[in-house]
Amino acid sequence: LRSSAALLKRGKADITIRKTTGDVLVGRGTYGRQSWNGQTATVFGCSGFLGRYVVARLAREGTKVIVPYRGLYEYVRHLRPTGDLGMVVPMEFDLRNPKQIEECVRYSDVVINLIGRNYETKNFSFEKVHIEGARRIAEISHAAGVSRFIHMSNLNARTNADAKSLVTKAFGEQRVRESFPGANIVRSATMYGYEDELLNNIGKNKYCYLTVNKAQRKLRPVCVSDVAHAIGKIRDDEDTVGLTYELFNPKQYTQKDIIDLVQFFIHENVWRVNVPSSLLRLAAKAVDVLPYHYTSHHEVDLMLADEFPSGDPAVQTFADLGIQPHTLELAALQYIRHYRPPQHEEDPMEPRGYKAFRKPPVPVNNKDIVA
C-alpha cells in the first residue's frame, strides 16, 4: 500500500525523457532545492561570471551539479551552498587531460561548456581553449553517452571577425557541431550583473575611463540572470535539441549611452579619455608581456567590435524561449549603486517610471525619476 501511495504521488513533471538517448530520468522528493529531479549536469567554466548563475539555477531546481575547476578549490567553494548537501560536487580537472574530463562527465546527462577567455596566456592560446578544448569536451561527452550538450559562444563569433578570440569561437562552434550532433550553441551579447566588466568597470574607473572610437561602439547588453535562465530552459525542453540561440537586448546602445546612464545613476561625472585604438593596442601589447594579466591587445580588438545579431532566420532568440529580458535602464542601478558618493547613498533605488528612461539622451534633470 505504501508503494502504491508513493507511486500515485508521482506525476509527469517528475519524469524527463531525453530525446537523443531515450534515457528516462525520474525525480525524487518535492520539487526544489531539497530534492533531486533525476538530472545530473556538469558545468565547465563554473567559476566564471556566468557560471555561478547557471550553477545556482540548476542547484535550486534540484539538479545534481558537477563543478570542474582548475587551480585552487577556493575558486568554486562559494558554489556549494547554492545546492543542498552533496548536490554540488567540485572535481579538479585540466582541459588538456581527457581522462579527467571523462571523469567529470561520466554520470551526467547534461554538459554545459562555458569555458572562454578574452586574452591568451603562455599555457592556453585561443586555439587551445576555444577550438581544441571545446572539441575535446564535446567528443568525450558524446562518447560517454551524455544526452544534451550546451556550448556557450559569442554573439559576434564569426570566421571573418577582426578579433582573434571571436574567430576561434566561431571555429569552436563548428568543432562542437561535428563532435556532438544535436549540440546547442548559445551566442550571448555582452552581459551585465554584479560581477560584470561593463557597468562595474565604468563605475570603478569613473575618474579615468578609457574609450576608443569616441565610445561609439554598438552594444546589445543582456542581464546575466536572463542568459542563465535561457540555458536552463534549453536544458529542460527536448524540442530545442540542435538549435542555435542568440541572446541580445532588443534595443541597441552605444558605449556612450551606457556611460551616460551610469553617471546619471551614480550622481557623478564619468571622465572619459578617448585614446586612438592603434596607440592603446600598442600599449596593451607591451603590458601583455608582464607575468600577470593587466590587459591585452586582444581585449582592445574586442573594444572595437560592434555587436550585431547574425540575422539567420533559423537562429532562435529570447522570444522563442518565452523569456522577457530585463530592461537595462530599470535593472542597472542595483549593480552600480555602491559607486554613489556618500550623500546619495540613501537615495531610493527604484525609478518611478519607465518612460523617463527613453534614450537618447539620458534625462539628467527629469523630476519623474528618483535615483
Side-chain angles (χ1 to χ4, degrees):
L1 291 176
R2 288 183 179 178
S3 61
S4 299
L7 190 63
L8 290 173
K9 290 182 181 179
R10 309 240 57 91
K12 291 182 180 179
D14 301 313
I15 300 174
T16 302
I17 302 176
R18 293 299 183 193
K19 182 181 291 187
T20 54
T21 60
D23 294 340
V24 179
L25 310 174
V26 182
R28 294 171 176 82
T30 57
Y31 180 84
R33 186 177 184 274
Q34 294 180 319
S35 63
W36 182 40
N37 60 13
Q39 303 179 38
T40 303
T42 300
V43 183
F44 290 96
C46 58
S47 59
F49 175 38
L50 174 61
R52 65 189 66 191
Y53 291 87
V54 173
V55 171
R57 177 171 287 275
L58 293 174
R60 187 170 68 242
E61 295 174 354
T63 303
K64 184 176 289 185
V65 188
I66 311 298
V67 287
Y69 67 95
R70 181 177 66 89
L72 302 176
Y73 166 70
E74 282 73 15
Y75 296 160
V76 295
R77 184 172 58 183
H78 60 283
L79 298 175
R80 298 194 69 179
T82 61
D84 205 0
L85 184 64
M87 295 297 285
V88 179
V89 184
M91 293 185 68
E92 190 173 1
F93 95 111
D94 191 302
L95 189 60
R96 299 162 294 189
N97 191 326
K99 184 177 179 181
Q100 289 182 328
I101 296 175
E102 195 277 331
E103 290 174 351
C104 292
V105 305
R106 182 180 299 166
Y107 301 107
S108 299
D109 62 285
V110 178
V111 172
I112 302 172
N113 180 29
L114 307 177
I115 296 177
R117 62 190 317 147
N118 295 334
Y119 59 92
E120 295 180 305
T121 65
K122 63 179 181 180
N123 293 322
F124 291 96
S125 64
F126 287 136
E127 288 81 6
K128 289 182 179 179
V129 175
H130 296 156
I131 301 177
E132 296 174 20
R135 176 193 56 78
R136 188 175 296 116
I137 293 174
E139 280 183 353
I140 295 172
S141 299
H142 188 257
V146 172
S147 303
R148 299 293 302 274
F149 190 90
I150 301 173
H151 177 72
M152 191 69 189
S153 186
N154 188 286
L155 184 65
N156 281 348
R158 293 174 179 84
T159 55
N160 61 348
D162 295 327
K164 186 179 178 182
S165 63
L166 300 176
V167 173
T168 53
K169 283 190 175 185
F171 283 116
E173 291 181 13
Q174 297 176 8
R175 299 297 182 273
V176 168
R177 292 282 195 201
E178 295 167 1
S179 303
F180 198 111
N184 290 102
I185 305 296
V186 179
R187 301 172 185 150
S188 171
T190 300
M191 291 178 283
Y192 63 87
Y194 284 108
E195 309 89 356
D196 70 1
E197 295 183 355
L198 178 64
L199 302 177
N200 280 280
N201 272 8
I202 298 172
K204 69 184 178 184
N205 297 309
K206 57 189 175 184
Y207 299 120
C208 183
Y209 185 68
L210 300 182
T211 63
V212 295
N213 195 26
K214 298 182 180 180
Q216 292 304 306
R217 181 193 178 196
K218 297 178 177 62
L219 298 169
R220 294 293 190 97
V222 290
C223 184
V224 64
S225 60
D226 290 333
V227 177
H229 186 194
I231 291 175
K233 297 203 74 169
I234 293 170
R235 177 209 59 159
D236 290 335
D237 189 353
E238 288 299 302
D239 292 332
T240 63
V241 172
L243 298 180
T244 298
Y245 288 85
E246 291 185 349
L247 308 179
F248 55 90
N249 196 313
K251 185 189 296 185
Q252 180 177 277
Y253 301 83
T254 64
Q255 189 179 20
K256 184 180 182 300
D257 292 332
I258 298 175
I259 293 172
D260 291 342
L261 185 69
V262 171
Q263 68 181 3
F264 166 69
F265 275 136
I266 66 176
H267 297 285
E268 279 197 284
N269 287 328
V270 176
W271 297 97
R272 291 189 291 114
V273 179
N274 191 70
V275 183
S277 58
S278 57
L279 181 61
L280 187 60
R281 195 176 191 278
L282 182 63
K285 205 162 190 176
V287 174
D288 206 18
V289 301
L290 297 175
Y292 297 101
H293 174 70
Y294 294 99
T295 187
S296 169
H297 62 284
H298 295 297
E299 293 176 305
V300 178
D301 293 338
L302 290 174
M303 292 172 66
L304 296 166
D306 292 333
E307 291 183 338
F308 290 107
S310 66
D312 186 347
V315 171
Q316 310 285 298
T317 63
F318 277 122
D320 297 289
L321 294 170
I323 297 175
Q324 178 65 40
H326 285 78
T327 303
L328 175 64
E329 293 87 346
L330 299 179
L333 180 55
Q334 61 183 307
Y335 306 123
I336 55 176
R337 189 183 187 187
H338 51 285
Y339 295 113
R340 285 176 166 180
Q343 62 268 30
H344 293 287
E345 199 158 321
E346 298 301 322
D347 288 358
M349 187 170 172
E350 294 296 332
R352 284 182 181 170
Y354 169 73
K355 291 183 179 180
F357 285 98
R358 289 175 178 168
K359 72 165 196 72
V362 174
V364 177
N365 297 317
N366 196 314
K367 295 182 181 179
D368 293 331
I369 303 176
V370 176

